[in-house]
Amino acid sequence: VSTRSAASHEFEDLNGNADRLIDRVRQGNRRDLARALSYVEYGGAMAQAIGRAAWANASGAHLVGITGAPGAGKSTLTSALIKEERLAGDVVTVLAIDPSSPFSGGAILGDRIRMMDHALDDGVFIRSMAARGHLGGLSLAAPQALRVMDASSPSRIILETVGVGQTEIEIAGAADTVVVVVNPGWGDDVQANKAGLLEIADIFVINKADREGVSRCKRDLEQMLDLNAELLDGWRPPIICTVAVNGEGVSELDAVIRRHEDHLRDSGRLVKRRSARVKSELEKIIALTLTQRALLFAGGRDFQLALDRVLAHEIDLYSAAELLVSQATPD
Amino acid sequence: VSTRSAASHEFEDLNGNADRLIDRVRQGNRRDLARALSYVEYGGAMAQAIGRAAWANASGAHLVGITGAPGAGKSTLTSALIKEERLAGDVVTVLAIDPSSPFSGGAILGDRIRMMDHALDDGVFIRSMAARGHLGGLSLAAPQALRVMDASSPSRIILETVGVGQTEIEIAGAADTVVVVVNPGWGDDVQANKAGLLEIADIFVINKADREGVSRCKRDLEQMLDLNAELLDGWRPPIICTVAVNGEGVSELDAVIRRHEDHLRDSGRLVKRRSARVKSELEKIIALTLTQRALLFAGGRDFQLALDRVLAHEIDLYSAAELLVSQATPD
């Protein structure tokens, strides 16, 4: 047996294994779903084979992003929302992105434990994910994980991220329906970038609405929407008040999410939004593929020579990069 | 005059202008420093010309990164540290990175205003910077800005970032001396990634040390250092207690920063650390340059065809990327 055919055998095995794994995921095997997600998190060839198989078996589940400041009550809200959906008989899958920061405000593990209310419920699958290790970071690992979850045909996927950091915001902002969670008192602060929220929010939730300052917070949000009316594309983000800990307002939120889903489908915006998401991810993957090539030749002699000249302050980094890229003639 | 020579004229002008601007920056002109930083933030050809000129005129100022959770007191500490350094007659330059999140905990503008204590002091230059707009994001914009600041020959540059988000942590972690600020009570939380801090910290500061829990926090940090002693590379991060609002402990912190600077120089680690920083940045710039090429052909017909096949679920995104990259033959 030649090396070449052995390698191609291995490749077929990989794809075959991925196909079989995703087939079991489709049939609702949760242990295999968990396993497939671990592969994706780990990265490498098997992750890509699984991503391929999952994409070929996409169910097109609705993706709801929930984001907000640490402590806004996102996890409690997610948990309450799951309860609501389970009453409707829906199967729900949750991907919770752990911030990669070693500081992290808010009791994240505590929140996860709270979600364990649903641990024994077969109609609920919760997975938390950290960015570490995956090449290309969260912005590539999260969509791969979401595709694997999607292959299990849930009626809805909830993606929960803490709304801090460039990457974290982008990930949540790419969902079909983006729920932004704030608390009473939000907006009093000088630096809150109110208009920045508008760029991503489809629905606003004022959680902990049993506290003081709800009407002012609501007025602030309405005003922001009025001021930016020309940016709204046929949908004015509703503002829902909730007290997630006791479930208040959560069924209304659930209804509004469904209304937004209908709006997206009926207006043809769902297809557009998803195409845009795939396009932007494809661009990122191309960039990553090219970067890997770049790193390959970063191990080479030309790179070292250029780096030495930079370190000697003879040329600057951007000129060195130009030089190296124009020298490089991949294949 | 042919188009070609007009373009090359323009190019020479650009470089000439950048050289003259950086020359004035070197001579201590603060208005020109501010202007050069605006160009860098704006991006484009002038930004690169300025970066080139600044790198050719590098002074090699010591770069101190200060990071920590929102509300830990980083800005107050920075302000107190500036005061300390000014007593020593040093010229200080501060780059404060604003988190790009629209949520942002902590009173950022308030902090900036607090730093305005130094607004009338010619030996202090403070600039805050947000990520928006710059291609490649903060991780490329910040080092360019730092190089421009460096050309003004300050005795020290302080880089302040909120320790949340993947990018933000990386930026601070790349400084010569990294100061990680925590508060009493830190570490009680289950999810605090204590060992994660060790990867970046050269010095720990327990700020607000007039509050309860200091000795426990200190013990926790010492224990973490003991447990990871094999990771320490000839330097065990000292733990300094401060009350930044009244300046307590700040002169000790200043002394420890200088001690770490000496340690880096004497052990040859400063050169190594800076080389590693430049190397990693060069890799990122190469990746960005290649990405820009990728985006160029992302506008093309092949990209659209591949994207259509992906959207029809005929192929997955990673296979499409492979296909496109292997088709592309950048000259």
Side-chain angles (χ1 to χ4, degrees), chain A residues 52 55 58 101-104 106 131 144 163 166 191 197 286-287 290-291 294 310 313 315-316 318, chain B residues 52 55 58 101-104 106 131 144 163 166 191 197 286-287 290-291 294 310 313 315-316 318:
Chain A
R52 186 196 49 72
W55 185 243
S101 160
F103 300 103
S104 318
Q144 280 282 65
Q166 209 160 271
Q191 95 285 5
L197 285 191
I286 291 175
L290 290 171
T291 302
V310 170
H313 295 267
I315 51 170
D316 73 299
Y318 285 84
Chain B
R52 185 196 50 72
W55 185 243
S101 160
F103 300 103
S104 319
Q144 281 282 64
Q166 208 161 272
Q191 95 283 4
L197 285 192
I286 290 174
L290 290 170
T291 302
V310 171
H313 295 267
I315 51 170
D316 73 297
Y318 285 83

mmCIF file of all heavy atoms in Angstrom, chain A residues 52 55 58 101-104 106 131 144 163 166 191 197 286-287 290-291 294 310 313 315-316 318, chain B residues 52 55 58 101-104 106 131 144 163 166 191 197 286-287 290-291 294 310 313 315-316 318:
data_model
loop_
_atom_site.group_PDB
_atom_site.id
_atom_site.type_symbol
_atom_site.label_atom_id
_atom_site.label_comp_id
_atom_site.label_asym_id
_atom_site.label_seq_id
_atom_site.Cartn_x
_atom_site.Cartn_y
_atom_site.Cartn_z
ATOM 1 N N ARG A 52 -18.543 19.905 7.671
ATOM 2 C CA ARG A 52 -19.029 19.597 6.325
ATOM 3 C C ARG A 52 -20.298 18.752 6.390
ATOM 4 O O ARG A 52 -21.316 19.054 5.757
ATOM 5 C CB ARG A 52 -17.928 18.850 5.560
ATOM 6 C CG ARG A 52 -18.202 18.561 4.093
ATOM 7 C CD ARG A 52 -17.254 17.487 3.536
ATOM 8 N NE ARG A 52 -17.185 16.290 4.389
ATOM 9 C CZ ARG A 52 -18.161 15.389 4.511
ATOM 10 N NH1 ARG A 52 -19.289 15.524 3.843
ATOM 11 N NH2 ARG A 52 -18.018 14.354 5.327
ATOM 12 N N TRP A 55 -23.280 20.730 7.773
ATOM 13 C CA TRP A 55 -23.808 21.701 6.811
ATOM 14 C C TRP A 55 -24.666 21.007 5.750
ATOM 15 O O TRP A 55 -25.698 21.534 5.325
ATOM 16 C CB TRP A 55 -22.653 22.464 6.176
ATOM 17 C CG TRP A 55 -23.062 23.572 5.247
ATOM 18 C CD1 TRP A 55 -22.810 23.666 3.903
ATOM 19 C CD2 TRP A 55 -23.779 24.773 5.576
ATOM 20 N NE1 TRP A 55 -23.318 24.828 3.387
ATOM 21 C CE2 TRP A 55 -23.927 25.530 4.395
ATOM 22 C CE3 TRP A 55 -24.327 25.281 6.767
ATOM 23 C CZ2 TRP A 55 -24.589 26.766 4.356
ATOM 24 C CZ3 TRP A 55 -24.993 26.507 6.729
ATOM 25 C CH2 TRP A 55 -25.111 27.230 5.542
ATOM 26 N N ALA A 58 -28.200 20.462 7.287
ATOM 27 C CA ALA A 58 -28.728 21.616 8.013
ATOM 28 C C ALA A 58 -30.247 21.560 8.110
ATOM 29 O O ALA A 58 -30.920 21.159 7.164
ATOM 30 C CB ALA A 58 -28.298 22.900 7.303
ATOM 31 N N SER A 101 -11.829 36.149 29.020
ATOM 32 C CA SER A 101 -11.108 36.973 29.975
ATOM 33 C C SER A 101 -10.904 36.255 31.296
ATOM 34 O O SER A 101 -11.801 35.582 31.788
ATOM 35 C CB SER A 101 -11.889 38.251 30.243
ATOM 36 O OG SER A 101 -11.467 38.830 31.452
ATOM 37 N N PRO A 102 -9.734 36.374 31.889
ATOM 38 C CA PRO A 102 -9.531 35.792 33.217
ATOM 39 C C PRO A 102 -10.198 36.630 34.306
ATOM 40 O O PRO A 102 -10.190 36.232 35.463
ATOM 41 C CB PRO A 102 -8.018 35.781 33.367
ATOM 42 C CG PRO A 102 -7.499 36.797 32.429
ATOM 43 C CD PRO A 102 -8.517 36.967 31.345
ATOM 44 N N PHE A 103 -10.765 37.774 33.969
ATOM 45 C CA PHE A 103 -11.388 38.600 35.002
ATOM 46 C C PHE A 103 -12.875 38.303 35.166
ATOM 47 O O PHE A 103 -13.332 37.950 36.231
ATOM 48 C CB PHE A 103 -11.176 40.087 34.706
ATOM 49 C CG PHE A 103 -9.744 40.472 34.659
ATOM 50 C CD1 PHE A 103 -9.112 40.675 33.452
ATOM 51 C CD2 PHE A 103 -9.010 40.609 35.818
ATOM 52 C CE1 PHE A 103 -7.781 41.027 33.397
ATOM 53 C CE2 PHE A 103 -7.674 40.963 35.776
ATOM 54 C CZ PHE A 103 -7.056 41.171 34.566
ATOM 55 N N SER A 104 -13.621 38.420 34.080
ATOM 56 C CA SER A 104 -15.049 38.070 34.042
ATOM 57 C C SER A 104 -15.879 38.519 35.224
ATOM 58 O O SER A 104 -15.776 37.974 36.316
ATOM 59 C CB SER A 104 -15.239 36.559 33.965
ATOM 60 O OG SER A 104 -14.341 35.985 33.091
ATOM 61 N N GLY A 106 -19.612 38.770 37.084
ATOM 62 C CA GLY A 106 -20.823 37.939 37.112
ATOM 63 C C GLY A 106 -20.500 36.491 37.408
ATOM 64 O O GLY A 106 -19.433 35.992 37.084
ATOM 65 N N ALA A 131 -13.150 30.045 24.100
ATOM 66 C CA ALA A 131 -12.459 30.271 22.834
ATOM 67 C C ALA A 131 -11.123 29.555 22.725
ATOM 68 O O ALA A 131 -10.649 29.257 21.644
ATOM 69 C CB ALA A 131 -12.229 31.759 22.644
ATOM 70 N N GLN A 144 -19.290 27.102 13.679
ATOM 71 C CA GLN A 144 -19.165 25.663 13.432
ATOM 72 C C GLN A 144 -20.008 24.889 14.454
ATOM 73 O O GLN A 144 -20.733 23.963 14.095
ATOM 74 C CB GLN A 144 -17.707 25.193 13.541
ATOM 75 C CG GLN A 144 -16.824 25.455 12.329
ATOM 76 C CD GLN A 144 -17.055 24.465 11.183
ATOM 77 O OE1 GLN A 144 -18.123 24.423 10.604
ATOM 78 N NE2 GLN A 144 -16.034 23.685 10.845
ATOM 79 N N GLY A 163 -21.844 40.683 26.449
ATOM 80 C CA GLY A 163 -21.648 41.761 25.482
ATOM 81 C C GLY A 163 -20.455 42.635 25.784
ATOM 82 O O GLY A 163 -20.577 43.836 25.931
ATOM 83 N N GLN A 166 -14.810 43.070 21.360
ATOM 84 C CA GLN A 166 -15.109 43.191 19.935
ATOM 85 C C GLN A 166 -15.717 41.904 19.365
ATOM 86 O O GLN A 166 -16.802 41.893 18.803
ATOM 87 C CB GLN A 166 -13.775 43.447 19.232
ATOM 88 C CG GLN A 166 -13.848 44.239 17.970
ATOM 89 C CD GLN A 166 -12.468 44.831 17.644
ATOM 90 O OE1 GLN A 166 -12.136 45.919 18.075
ATOM 91 N NE2 GLN A 166 -11.668 44.102 16.879
ATOM 92 N N GLN A 191 -21.265 57.059 29.197
ATOM 93 C CA GLN A 191 -20.535 56.436 28.110
ATOM 94 C C GLN A 191 -21.294 55.326 27.391
ATOM 95 O O GLN A 191 -20.790 54.748 26.448
ATOM 96 C CB GLN A 191 -19.170 55.930 28.585
ATOM 97 C CG GLN A 191 -19.109 54.480 29.002
ATOM 98 C CD GLN A 191 -19.745 54.257 30.346
ATOM 99 O OE1 GLN A 191 -20.306 55.160 30.933
ATOM 100 N NE2 GLN A 191 -19.696 53.044 30.832
ATOM 101 N N LEU A 197 -25.945 49.964 20.142
ATOM 102 C CA LEU A 197 -26.824 48.815 20.396
ATOM 103 C C LEU A 197 -27.816 48.633 19.265
ATOM 104 O O LEU A 197 -28.205 47.519 18.922
ATOM 105 C CB LEU A 197 -27.584 49.008 21.696
ATOM 106 C CG LEU A 197 -26.785 48.806 22.960
ATOM 107 C CD1 LEU A 197 -27.712 48.759 24.152
ATOM 108 C CD2 LEU A 197 -25.986 47.517 22.864
ATOM 109 N N ILE A 286 -11.368 32.258 4.419
ATOM 110 C CA ILE A 286 -10.354 32.473 3.384
ATOM 111 C C ILE A 286 -9.152 33.191 3.995
ATOM 112 O O ILE A 286 -8.002 32.815 3.778
ATOM 113 C CB ILE A 286 -10.937 33.276 2.204
ATOM 114 C CG1 ILE A 286 -11.950 32.415 1.449
ATOM 115 C CG2 ILE A 286 -9.830 33.755 1.271
ATOM 116 C CD1 ILE A 286 -12.669 33.143 0.352
ATOM 117 N N ALA A 287 -9.452 34.215 4.766
ATOM 118 C CA ALA A 287 -8.372 34.960 5.413
ATOM 119 C C ALA A 287 -7.546 34.033 6.304
ATOM 120 O O ALA A 287 -6.317 34.087 6.307
ATOM 121 C CB ALA A 287 -8.946 36.111 6.228
ATOM 122 N N LEU A 290 -5.364 31.741 4.219
ATOM 123 C CA LEU A 290 -4.203 32.487 3.726
ATOM 124 C C LEU A 290 -3.217 32.768 4.856
ATOM 125 O O LEU A 290 -2.008 32.736 4.663
ATOM 126 C CB LEU A 290 -4.665 33.787 3.075
ATOM 127 C CG LEU A 290 -5.419 33.624 1.744
ATOM 128 C CD1 LEU A 290 -6.028 34.945 1.308
ATOM 129 C CD2 LEU A 290 -4.479 33.101 0.656
ATOM 130 N N THR A 291 -3.758 33.020 6.049
ATOM 131 C CA THR A 291 -2.896 33.282 7.198
ATOM 132 C C THR A 291 -2.053 32.064 7.528
ATOM 133 O O THR A 291 -0.863 32.175 7.835
ATOM 134 C CB THR A 291 -3.749 33.643 8.431
ATOM 135 O OG1 THR A 291 -4.534 34.784 8.108
ATOM 136 C CG2 THR A 291 -2.869 33.959 9.626
ATOM 137 N N ALA A 294 0.660 32.051 5.325
ATOM 138 C CA ALA A 294 1.608 33.093 5.726
ATOM 139 C C ALA A 294 2.488 32.593 6.867
ATOM 140 O O ALA A 294 3.692 32.805 6.879
ATOM 141 C CB ALA A 294 0.853 34.344 6.151
ATOM 142 N N VAL A 310 13.604 44.642 10.246
ATOM 143 C CA VAL A 310 12.630 45.424 11.017
ATOM 144 C C VAL A 310 13.201 45.724 12.400
ATOM 145 O O VAL A 310 13.172 46.867 12.867
ATOM 146 C CB VAL A 310 11.285 44.675 11.156
ATOM 147 C CG1 VAL A 310 10.371 45.386 12.149
ATOM 148 C CG2 VAL A 310 10.594 44.552 9.806
ATOM 149 N N HIS A 313 15.377 48.435 12.721
ATOM 150 C CA HIS A 313 14.715 49.689 12.359
ATOM 151 C C HIS A 313 15.090 50.180 10.958
ATOM 152 O O HIS A 313 14.983 51.363 10.673
ATOM 153 C CB HIS A 313 14.983 50.778 13.402
ATOM 154 C CG HIS A 313 14.375 50.458 14.734
ATOM 155 N ND1 HIS A 313 13.127 50.888 15.113
ATOM 156 C CD2 HIS A 313 14.834 49.696 15.761
ATOM 157 C CE1 HIS A 313 12.850 50.426 16.331
ATOM 158 N NE2 HIS A 313 13.864 49.691 16.744
ATOM 159 N N ILE A 315 13.676 48.857 8.116
ATOM 160 C CA ILE A 315 12.365 49.000 7.474
ATOM 161 C C ILE A 315 11.288 48.843 8.534
ATOM 162 O O ILE A 315 11.542 48.318 9.621
ATOM 163 C CB ILE A 315 12.122 47.956 6.346
ATOM 164 C CG1 ILE A 315 12.423 46.525 6.848
ATOM 165 C CG2 ILE A 315 12.939 48.250 5.114
ATOM 166 C CD1 ILE A 315 11.979 45.452 5.876
ATOM 167 N N ASP A 316 10.077 49.300 8.203
ATOM 168 C CA ASP A 316 8.993 49.159 9.166
ATOM 169 C C ASP A 316 8.202 47.900 8.876
ATOM 170 O O ASP A 316 8.404 47.235 7.849
ATOM 171 C CB ASP A 316 8.088 50.388 9.142
ATOM 172 C CG ASP A 316 7.228 50.411 7.897
ATOM 173 O OD1 ASP A 316 7.815 50.463 6.787
ATOM 174 O OD2 ASP A 316 5.998 50.326 8.010
ATOM 175 N N TYR A 318 5.083 47.261 8.064
ATOM 176 C CA TYR A 318 4.173 47.196 6.921
ATOM 177 C C TYR A 318 4.939 47.029 5.608
ATOM 178 O O TYR A 318 4.514 46.306 4.719
ATOM 179 C CB TYR A 318 3.244 48.413 6.903
ATOM 180 C CG TYR A 318 2.167 48.291 7.964
ATOM 181 C CD1 TYR A 318 2.417 48.665 9.277
ATOM 182 C CD2 TYR A 318 0.931 47.762 7.659
ATOM 183 C CE1 TYR A 318 1.456 48.515 10.267
ATOM 184 C CE2 TYR A 318 -0.054 47.610 8.631
ATOM 185 C CZ TYR A 318 0.216 47.986 9.937
ATOM 186 O OH TYR A 318 -0.738 47.826 10.906
ATOM 187 N N ARG B 52 5.902 54.180 9.387
ATOM 188 C CA ARG B 52 7.249 53.961 8.871
ATOM 189 C C ARG B 52 8.220 54.988 9.463
ATOM 190 O O ARG B 52 9.285 54.647 9.981
ATOM 191 C CB ARG B 52 7.218 54.067 7.334
ATOM 192 C CG ARG B 52 8.514 53.758 6.604
ATOM 193 C CD ARG B 52 8.501 54.272 5.155
ATOM 194 N NE ARG B 52 8.085 55.663 5.042
ATOM 195 C CZ ARG B 52 8.812 56.714 5.419
ATOM 196 N NH1 ARG B 52 10.017 56.543 5.937
ATOM 197 N NH2 ARG B 52 8.336 57.944 5.304
ATOM 198 N N TRP B 55 8.805 54.432 13.222
ATOM 199 C CA TRP B 55 9.656 53.269 13.506
ATOM 200 C C TRP B 55 11.117 53.591 13.257
ATOM 201 O O TRP B 55 12.015 53.132 13.977
ATOM 202 C CB TRP B 55 9.193 52.081 12.658
ATOM 203 C CG TRP B 55 9.898 50.790 12.943
ATOM 204 C CD1 TRP B 55 10.671 50.090 12.060
ATOM 205 C CD2 TRP B 55 9.892 50.032 14.157
ATOM 206 N NE1 TRP B 55 11.149 48.950 12.654
ATOM 207 C CE2 TRP B 55 10.690 48.890 13.937
ATOM 208 C CE3 TRP B 55 9.305 50.224 15.414
ATOM 209 C CZ2 TRP B 55 10.901 47.928 14.933
ATOM 210 C CZ3 TRP B 55 9.524 49.274 16.393
ATOM 211 C CH2 TRP B 55 10.314 48.142 16.141
ATOM 212 N N ALA B 58 12.488 55.443 16.385
ATOM 213 C CA ALA B 58 12.087 54.849 17.658
ATOM 214 C C ALA B 58 13.041 55.253 18.782
ATOM 215 O O ALA B 58 14.249 55.328 18.576
ATOM 216 C CB ALA B 58 12.055 53.334 17.531
ATOM 217 N N SER B 101 -17.251 47.790 23.252
ATOM 218 C CA SER B 101 -18.581 47.326 23.616
ATOM 219 C C SER B 101 -19.511 48.495 23.866
ATOM 220 O O SER B 101 -19.129 49.479 24.489
ATOM 221 C CB SER B 101 -18.511 46.487 24.882
ATOM 222 O OG SER B 101 -19.777 46.420 25.480
ATOM 223 N N PRO B 102 -20.738 48.391 23.401
ATOM 224 C CA PRO B 102 -21.700 49.444 23.726
ATOM 225 C C PRO B 102 -22.222 49.329 25.155
ATOM 226 O O PRO B 102 -22.967 50.175 25.605
ATOM 227 C CB PRO B 102 -22.825 49.226 22.722
ATOM 228 C CG PRO B 102 -22.697 47.818 22.272
ATOM 229 C CD PRO B 102 -21.281 47.395 22.479
ATOM 230 N N PHE B 103 -21.838 48.286 25.890
ATOM 231 C CA PHE B 103 -22.328 48.130 27.256
ATOM 232 C C PHE B 103 -21.391 48.769 28.283
ATOM 233 O O PHE B 103 -21.780 49.596 29.058
ATOM 234 C CB PHE B 103 -22.539 46.649 27.590
ATOM 235 C CG PHE B 103 -23.532 46.004 26.700
ATOM 236 C CD1 PHE B 103 -23.124 45.181 25.666
ATOM 237 C CD2 PHE B 103 -24.876 46.243 26.859
ATOM 238 C CE1 PHE B 103 -24.046 44.596 24.824
ATOM 239 C CE2 PHE B 103 -25.807 45.668 26.027
ATOM 240 C CZ PHE B 103 -25.392 44.839 25.002
ATOM 241 N N SER B 104 -20.131 48.358 28.283
ATOM 242 C CA SER B 104 -19.090 48.948 29.125
ATOM 243 C C SER B 104 -19.461 49.225 30.576
ATOM 244 O O SER B 104 -20.222 50.147 30.851
ATOM 245 C CB SER B 104 -18.618 50.284 28.575
ATOM 246 O OG SER B 104 -18.490 50.241 27.198
ATOM 247 N N GLY B 106 -18.339 50.553 34.350
ATOM 248 C CA GLY B 106 -17.397 51.543 34.860
ATOM 249 C C GLY B 106 -17.543 52.877 34.155
ATOM 250 O O GLY B 106 -17.937 52.939 33.005
ATOM 251 N N ALA B 131 -11.580 51.275 18.872
ATOM 252 C CA ALA B 131 -11.178 50.376 17.802
ATOM 253 C C ALA B 131 -11.842 50.684 16.469
ATOM 254 O O ALA B 131 -11.340 50.352 15.420
ATOM 255 C CB ALA B 131 -11.512 48.947 18.190
ATOM 256 N N GLN B 144 0.622 50.598 16.307
ATOM 257 C CA GLN B 144 1.003 51.738 15.466
ATOM 258 C C GLN B 144 0.992 53.022 16.294
ATOM 259 O O GLN B 144 1.926 53.828 16.223
ATOM 260 C CB GLN B 144 0.044 51.908 14.272
ATOM 261 C CG GLN B 144 0.278 50.973 13.086
ATOM 262 C CD GLN B 144 1.446 51.408 12.207
ATOM 263 O OE1 GLN B 144 2.590 51.430 12.669
ATOM 264 N NE2 GLN B 144 1.182 51.715 10.948
ATOM 265 N N GLY B 163 -9.600 44.677 30.986
ATOM 266 C CA GLY B 163 -9.257 43.271 30.776
ATOM 267 C C GLY B 163 -10.458 42.396 30.460
ATOM 268 O O GLY B 163 -10.702 41.413 31.144
ATOM 269 N N GLN B 166 -11.094 38.989 24.178
ATOM 270 C CA GLN B 166 -9.896 38.336 23.684
ATOM 271 C C GLN B 166 -8.828 39.342 23.247
ATOM 272 O O GLN B 166 -7.698 39.343 23.721
ATOM 273 C CB GLN B 166 -10.337 37.530 22.459
ATOM 274 C CG GLN B 166 -9.530 36.309 22.157
ATOM 275 C CD GLN B 166 -10.333 35.365 21.240
ATOM 276 O OE1 GLN B 166 -11.102 34.524 21.694
ATOM 277 N NE2 GLN B 166 -10.168 35.515 19.951
ATOM 278 N N GLN B 191 -15.296 31.384 39.090
ATOM 279 C CA GLN B 191 -14.858 31.306 37.703
ATOM 280 C C GLN B 191 -13.607 32.115 37.382
ATOM 281 O O GLN B 191 -13.154 32.123 36.255
ATOM 282 C CB GLN B 191 -15.997 31.686 36.764
ATOM 283 C CG GLN B 191 -16.028 33.132 36.324
ATOM 284 C CD GLN B 191 -16.567 34.036 37.414
ATOM 285 O OE1 GLN B 191 -16.846 33.575 38.517
ATOM 286 N NE2 GLN B 191 -16.685 35.300 37.144
ATOM 287 N N LEU B 197 -4.229 34.623 34.506
ATOM 288 C CA LEU B 197 -3.597 35.914 34.762
ATOM 289 C C LEU B 197 -2.086 35.793 34.789
ATOM 290 O O LEU B 197 -1.358 36.702 34.406
ATOM 291 C CB LEU B 197 -4.066 36.463 36.105
ATOM 292 C CG LEU B 197 -5.465 37.028 36.128
ATOM 293 C CD1 LEU B 197 -5.684 37.793 37.414
ATOM 294 C CD2 LEU B 197 -5.672 37.943 34.938
ATOM 295 N N ILE B 286 0.977 40.478 7.849
ATOM 296 C CA ILE B 286 0.996 39.642 6.645
ATOM 297 C C ILE B 286 -0.378 39.018 6.433
ATOM 298 O O ILE B 286 -0.924 39.025 5.326
ATOM 299 C CB ILE B 286 2.074 38.539 6.764
ATOM 300 C CG1 ILE B 286 3.470 39.169 6.684
ATOM 301 C CG2 ILE B 286 1.913 37.500 5.652
ATOM 302 C CD1 ILE B 286 4.597 38.198 6.924
ATOM 303 N N ALA B 287 -0.945 38.515 7.507
ATOM 304 C CA ALA B 287 -2.281 37.922 7.413
ATOM 305 C C ALA B 287 -3.283 38.952 6.909
ATOM 306 O O ALA B 287 -4.113 38.665 6.047
ATOM 307 C CB ALA B 287 -2.707 37.379 8.769
ATOM 308 N N LEU B 290 -2.787 39.645 3.218
ATOM 309 C CA LEU B 290 -3.355 38.549 2.437
ATOM 310 C C LEU B 290 -4.883 38.586 2.470
ATOM 311 O O LEU B 290 -5.544 38.285 1.478
ATOM 312 C CB LEU B 290 -2.841 37.208 2.970
ATOM 313 C CG LEU B 290 -1.356 36.929 2.698
ATOM 314 C CD1 LEU B 290 -0.891 35.712 3.477
ATOM 315 C CD2 LEU B 290 -1.108 36.730 1.213
ATOM 316 N N THR B 291 -5.418 38.978 3.619
ATOM 317 C CA THR B 291 -6.872 39.074 3.742
ATOM 318 C C THR B 291 -7.425 40.121 2.785
ATOM 319 O O THR B 291 -8.453 39.918 2.152
ATOM 320 C CB THR B 291 -7.267 39.458 5.179
ATOM 321 O OG1 THR B 291 -6.750 38.476 6.055
ATOM 322 C CG2 THR B 291 -8.769 39.530 5.330
ATOM 323 N N ALA B 294 -7.663 38.635 -0.360
ATOM 324 C CA ALA B 294 -8.790 37.705 -0.366
ATOM 325 C C ALA B 294 -10.093 38.462 -0.603
ATOM 326 O O ALA B 294 -10.939 38.047 -1.386
ATOM 327 C CB ALA B 294 -8.864 36.945 0.952
ATOM 328 N N VAL B 310 -22.339 27.108 -1.543
ATOM 329 C CA VAL B 310 -22.404 26.942 -0.085
ATOM 330 C C VAL B 310 -23.833 27.162 0.393
ATOM 331 O O VAL B 310 -24.380 26.361 1.159
ATOM 332 C CB VAL B 310 -21.451 27.931 0.636
ATOM 333 C CG1 VAL B 310 -21.698 27.911 2.147
ATOM 334 C CG2 VAL B 310 -20.000 27.587 0.339
ATOM 335 N N HIS B 313 -26.070 24.480 0.155
ATOM 336 C CA HIS B 313 -25.620 23.355 0.980
ATOM 337 C C HIS B 313 -24.968 22.241 0.155
ATOM 338 O O HIS B 313 -24.909 21.101 0.592
ATOM 339 C CB HIS B 313 -26.770 22.787 1.835
ATOM 340 C CG HIS B 313 -27.262 23.768 2.859
ATOM 341 N ND1 HIS B 313 -26.792 23.813 4.146
ATOM 342 C CD2 HIS B 313 -28.152 24.773 2.760
ATOM 343 C CE1 HIS B 313 -27.387 24.802 4.802
ATOM 344 N NE2 HIS B 313 -28.215 25.395 3.978
ATOM 345 N N ILE B 315 -21.711 22.439 -0.937
ATOM 346 C CA ILE B 315 -20.399 22.313 -0.290
ATOM 347 C C ILE B 315 -20.415 23.128 0.994
ATOM 348 O O ILE B 315 -21.265 24.001 1.180
ATOM 349 C CB ILE B 315 -19.223 22.804 -1.181
ATOM 350 C CG1 ILE B 315 -19.511 24.214 -1.730
ATOM 351 C CG2 ILE B 315 -18.956 21.845 -2.318
ATOM 352 C CD1 ILE B 315 -18.308 24.837 -2.407
ATOM 353 N N ASP B 316 -19.466 22.823 1.892
ATOM 354 C CA ASP B 316 -19.418 23.588 3.135
ATOM 355 C C ASP B 316 -18.426 24.737 2.992
ATOM 356 O O ASP B 316 -17.694 24.830 2.003
ATOM 357 C CB ASP B 316 -19.034 22.687 4.305
ATOM 358 C CG ASP B 316 -17.577 22.309 4.246
ATOM 359 O OD1 ASP B 316 -17.184 21.640 3.267
ATOM 360 O OD2 ASP B 316 -16.811 22.698 5.146
ATOM 361 N N TYR B 318 -15.631 25.561 4.516
ATOM 362 C CA TYR B 318 -14.188 25.312 4.527
ATOM 363 C C TYR B 318 -13.719 24.734 3.194
ATOM 364 O O TYR B 318 -12.643 25.083 2.698
ATOM 365 C CB TYR B 318 -13.801 24.425 5.714
ATOM 366 C CG TYR B 318 -13.829 25.196 7.010
ATOM 367 C CD1 TYR B 318 -15.014 25.381 7.706
ATOM 368 C CD2 TYR B 318 -12.678 25.802 7.514
ATOM 369 C CE1 TYR B 318 -15.063 26.131 8.877
ATOM 370 C CE2 TYR B 318 -12.709 26.543 8.678
ATOM 371 C CZ TYR B 318 -13.907 26.706 9.358
ATOM 372 O OH TYR B 318 -13.946 27.462 10.505
#
